[in-house]
Amino acid sequence: MPRKNRLFIEGFPHLTQLKGHNGEPLFREENDYTAFELALALAAKRYAVAIHSYSLAPERVLLMVSAESRLALSSFIQYLGRRYVPYYNHRYQRYGSLWENRYSCSPLQASTYFLIVKRFIECNEDGVKSHHSDGLSPKDIIVPHQEWLNLADDEVQQHRRFKEFCCTPLNAALVIRIRNTLSQNCLLATPAVSKRLESQLACSLQARHRGRPRKYTPSNIDIRINIEQHAAAFLRQRGYQQVRLSLIENEFLLTQKNSTLLSPVRLRRDGTTGCLRLMTDTHSQQSMSRIWYSGTMFGQRHHNQSLQQSDQVGAEAFDMAGIDIELEQLVLQALFFKQLGIAEKTELHLNMLGDPSALKDFRRALDTYYRPHAHLFAPEQQEELKFHPERLINSNDPLLQLLATTAPNINDHISTDSQQRFIRLQLALNQAGIAWHHDTQLFPRNEYCQIVFEWRNNDIVISRGGRYDASASRTVGYPIAACGFAFLIGPIAQLFDKRKVELNSTSSIDIVIIASQPRVAVQTVLLARKLRQQFPELSIMTDSSQLRMATRHKNSRNQGAKITLEVEGDGYSLRLYKAKDPEYETTTIESIGDHLGKILWFR
């Protein structure tokens, strides 16, 4: 199979990597670093390559460079080898190649990833201690990129702002993404830019997951039901109480102000509205409450009368103002996706909105900024400017994309307390081992404040939520803290179908009792009645069918039974099989209660 062509995109900076042959160190003494830096300066000058950052370590060399052409970049790398390798071989009395095969190369979207990759290189965030550049130092090698110059007007301020950026919490998801794109010679860019370039170049630019593709598994029509059952059991185990919501809502509490009537009867649009109304009607539920709901929501497409049906399982928590409940819900969602086996396919996106006054000031600034250009907007864009101007920032319209580059930033309106709160949440997520991405372009359609988050698989949103203290307080009539999220069952089911992941059915049966022979069928029924009286919380089923014994045991396992009891022919002795354990224990009908009590004490 021919090797993959190295990806080069004109006008983009490129992150490149060199490694030693067979793991041999590239640098052994301090003079080696000096020699390589001299080779860098000469190669950059010879082939008109701009070096923006570098990191030299015995394990590898990382460079972020801008070259005029693919040939210039290749010649630059070749010159480094012709200049440094003879020096290294002569100094350490060796011969042959020093580099491991070809150099790795990954183009990157400068507007989004330049500072992130520069931090990745100069802060040793790949876990390798190195000899590296520092901002614009050394000046005879480093050439400032436009993204660096945009930090401030003078060099001192540029360094200060970059140091402040490097002091923010580390995002593990971005580090993994940089590693994957570099190792696979792929593009490091936003999904929108990646799609546009893929259509232009007619090839895939996204990093692939390791290993062979999963074998095809036919989609299961019951997969949505299974996901809902998993979510329900998962939330119950974590102290969330189920509530029933009305299908018909009298009014919408969290939707945009310009919503049109869908019909004389307003169908339930979101679960949060029903939960808030329940909190208003049930005062005893308002202190430190955790509730969950499930059902179908009927949303409306923007500027369209058609209804969109969405199945959700949501959770809401009230009267908890700290970041602990936000962390709890984010950890809860991460663990749920891990149990489903799709954690590696998901990515958490966060954004800080500040308090309601900050978001209001931000929208006012956007309105002032966009208003002089409003006569050029389409009718729907003018409507968004009136109610939700932040949506114009993410528009695909070329004019709005151009205006978005200099539009006001929400961070300029967020208070110091909100920023510190966000940093504490980021540090807590790092401590919990949850990878996250600070998405400054993430804005909600509902009236959220402080934090808003989404779990995504590429462009597919599988869960979303945030804090909504202001709207909750307005609804109940006095100050109250509120935070919640919703699992979107449809997108999760699509993710399973797309990735061909099998979902194990929830365990609905705890104990299955099998009659080994027809003459002991009565004993199985009596034993089941006895155990139900002793363990009323357990689900117990009997099997006195005429199927083969191996088939009945298989059926018990397929139903998720934790314990299988086989009544032997004497009607007195029992064989006890535990789930996923091929060996069995022997006991009697008289002592089975005490035996099960020791096994199922955690119930």
Side-chain angles (χ1 to χ4, degrees):
M1 179 182 294
R3 65 185 183 182
K4 180 180 179 180
N5 293 329
R6 185 177 287 109
L7 181 62
F8 180 89
I9 301 179
E10 186 176 351
F12 277 50
H14 288 69
L15 175 62
T16 61
Q17 177 177 258
L18 292 167
K19 287 188 174 182
H21 183 65
N22 290 332
E24 184 167 350
L26 302 178
F27 309 97
R28 301 187 185 184
E29 299 179 2
E30 189 65 26
N31 291 338
D32 299 341
Y33 296 104
T34 305
F36 193 89
E37 288 176 336
L38 176 61
L40 276 177
L42 294 175
K45 183 177 180 180
R46 186 183 186 95
Y47 296 102
V49 172
I51 302 175
H52 307 303
S53 184
Y54 68 83
S55 172
L56 312 180
E59 296 89 342
R60 52 89 186 121
V61 171
L62 285 177
L63 306 170
M64 182 165 57
V65 300
S66 292
E68 295 180 353
S69 64
R70 186 195 306 269
L71 179 60
L73 179 58
S74 298
S75 301
F76 167 79
I77 298 295
Q78 290 173 4
Y79 185 86
L80 287 177
R82 291 196 299 267
R83 183 85 186 185
Y84 180 73
V85 174
Y87 153 83
Y88 187 89
N89 287 346
H90 177 73
R91 183 178 181 87
Y92 298 108
Q93 300 181 0
R94 66 179 300 278
Y95 62 89
S97 174
L98 178 60
W99 313 129
E100 178 189 62
N101 206 348
R102 311 167 75 202
Y103 69 92
S104 303
C105 179
S106 173
L108 59 101
Q109 180 186 351
S111 60
T112 303
Y113 288 100
F114 177 83
L115 295 178
I116 295 175
V117 172
K118 187 172 178 66
R119 169 180 169 170
F120 174 84
I121 294 174
E122 297 183 1
C123 294
N124 301 326
E125 291 185 352
D126 63 342
V128 178
K129 192 173 183 180
S130 67
H131 180 96
H132 54 74
S133 57
D134 183 14
L136 297 182
S137 178
K139 290 185 176 294
D140 59 335
I141 298 178
I142 301 301
V143 177
H145 190 273
Q146 185 60 45
E147 290 299 321
W148 174 272
L149 298 176
N150 291 340
L151 288 175
D153 296 331
D154 61 90
E155 184 176 330
V156 175
Q157 292 296 322
Q158 291 166 358
H159 276 274
R160 183 181 65 81
R161 292 197 174 182
F162 182 66
K163 293 299 182 184
E164 291 176 353
F165 171 70
C166 292
C167 290
T168 58
L170 172 66
N171 189 339
L174 286 177
V175 173
I176 294 173
R177 186 174 183 185
I178 292 172
R179 288 174 176 171
N180 291 340
T181 54
L182 182 59
S183 64
Q184 298 185 31
N185 185 214
C186 294
L187 173 66
L188 186 62
T190 60
V193 173
S194 298
K195 287 185 178 180
R196 175 170 57 82
L197 291 175
E198 284 179 345
S199 62
Q200 293 177 1
L201 301 177
C203 65
S204 175
L205 303 179
Q206 298 294 317
R208 302 176 301 276
H209 295 282
R210 291 184 177 182
R212 294 183 178 180
R214 292 182 179 271
K215 295 182 179 180
Y216 175 76
T217 303
S219 60
N220 187 347
I221 61 174
D222 294 330
I223 191 168
R224 292 191 179 211
I225 297 176
N226 289 336
I227 294 174
E228 291 180 0
Q229 291 176 348
H230 274 79
F234 187 83
L235 291 170
R236 278 196 296 265
Q237 291 173 354
R238 282 148 184 83
Y240 285 77
Q241 297 180 336
Q242 184 179 12
V243 295
R244 300 289 184 181
L245 302 181
S246 172
L247 185 62
I248 299 176
E249 297 286 359
N250 295 326
E251 59 179 333
F252 299 136
L253 302 179
L254 293 178
T255 56
Q256 54 266 33
K257 299 176 182 179
N258 59 327
S259 296
T260 58
L261 289 176
L262 304 179
S263 65
V265 176
R266 296 179 178 179
L267 297 176
R268 177 176 56 205
R269 185 181 180 110
D270 59 76
T272 306
T273 299
C275 291
L276 284 175
R277 185 169 290 109
L278 176 65
M279 295 300 295
T280 305
D281 298 337
T282 312
H283 298 283
S284 61
Q285 293 290 327
Q286 294 177 5
S287 178
M288 302 288 287
S289 297
R290 290 178 173 87
I291 59 178
W292 70 275
Y293 62 88
S294 64
T296 303
M297 311 300 157
F298 298 89
Q300 179 184 3
R301 282 187 175 179
H302 196 49
H303 308 298
N304 196 326
Q305 295 291 333
S306 61
L307 287 174
Q308 295 297 304
Q309 180 175 329
S310 173
D311 294 327
Q312 299 180 8
V313 175
E316 311 289 344
F318 299 99
D319 208 21
M320 287 169 268
I323 66 166
D324 52 335
I325 188 60
E326 299 162 20
L327 177 64
E328 173 190 292
Q329 293 189 350
L330 291 171
V331 171
L332 186 150
Q333 293 169 83
L335 181 58
F336 179 70
F337 295 138
K338 182 178 181 180
Q339 287 189 1
L340 293 184
I342 60 174
E344 296 180 356
K345 317 299 181 184
T346 62
E347 186 179 48
L348 172 61
H349 289 242
L350 300 168
N351 195 18
M352 168 54 69
L353 304 177
D355 54 34
S357 62
L359 186 57
K360 186 177 181 180
D361 293 342
F362 175 56
R363 286 173 173 169
R364 188 182 299 112
L366 287 175
D367 182 79
T368 303
Y369 174 77
Y370 282 112
R371 185 62 60 184
H373 310 281
H375 63 282
L376 301 175
F377 294 174
E380 58 273 13
Q381 294 170 348
Q382 293 179 353
E383 188 177 355
E384 287 184 337
L385 175 61
K386 183 178 180 181
F387 296 101
H388 296 277
E390 68 274 9
R391 297 178 189 171
L392 300 177
I393 299 176
N394 299 326
S395 174
N396 294 326
D397 184 272
L399 173 62
L400 292 177
Q401 288 183 341
L402 180 62
L403 292 174
T405 58
T406 55
N409 193 314
I410 191 172
N411 290 331
D412 298 332
H413 302 270
I414 295 176
S415 66
T416 303
D417 290 342
S418 293
Q419 293 175 351
Q420 292 297 324
R421 176 193 180 94
F422 191 41
I423 291 176
R424 290 198 305 271
L425 178 61
Q426 292 172 331
L427 293 172
L429 289 173
N430 291 343
Q431 188 176 2
I434 298 177
W436 50 269
H437 174 65
H438 183 193
D439 189 345
T440 57
Q441 296 183 343
L442 175 60
F443 296 101
R445 292 189 175 273
N446 293 340
E447 295 185 38
Y448 286 114
C449 64
Q450 296 294 351
I451 189 70
V452 60
F453 54 82
E454 288 183 351
W455 291 85
R456 300 178 186 171
N457 172 261
N458 295 328
D459 293 334
I460 301 176
V461 178
I462 61 175
S463 179
R464 59 163 56 100
R467 182 171 284 279
Y468 53 100
D469 297 353
S471 59
S473 300
R474 186 173 60 252
T475 301
V476 301
Y478 54 84
I480 187 172
C483 183
F485 68 91
F487 293 122
L488 307 182
I489 303 302
I492 295 177
Q494 291 179 8
L495 176 60
F496 272 91
D497 189 35
K498 179 181 179 181
R499 300 297 180 181
K500 312 306 177 191
V501 180
E502 293 184 0
L503 177 64
N504 295 327
S505 60
T506 54
S507 176
S508 57
I509 302 296
D510 294 301
I511 299 176
V512 173
I513 305 175
I514 298 176
S516 62
Q517 297 181 15
R519 65 171 178 266
V520 296
V522 175
Q523 279 79 356
T524 62
V525 175
L526 297 177
L527 176 59
R529 185 181 68 175
K530 173 184 175 182
L531 294 181
R532 290 190 184 106
Q533 292 173 347
Q534 288 183 274
F535 306 97
E537 72 279 9
L538 298 182
S539 56
I540 302 172
M541 186 183 75
T542 61
D543 184 355
S544 300
S545 64
Q546 300 301 313
L547 297 174
R548 293 188 304 115
M549 187 60 66
T551 302
R552 286 191 274 175
H553 278 278
K554 180 180 179 181
N555 291 340
S556 176
R557 293 192 297 270
N558 291 340
Q559 291 169 333
K562 298 180 178 64
I563 299 292
T564 301
L565 298 176
E566 181 182 331
V567 181
E568 298 194 48
D570 59 5
Y572 176 78
S573 303
L574 295 175
R575 290 185 179 183
L576 186 151
Y577 296 83
K578 299 178 183 178
K580 300 180 181 179
D581 187 353
E583 302 297 329
Y584 64 87
E585 303 175 17
T586 58
T587 183
T588 63
I589 289 180
E590 292 182 355
S591 60
I592 186 59
D594 295 336
H595 202 128
L596 288 177
K598 297 177 181 178
I599 298 175
L600 302 173
W601 63 270
F602 58 89
R603 297 287 298 190

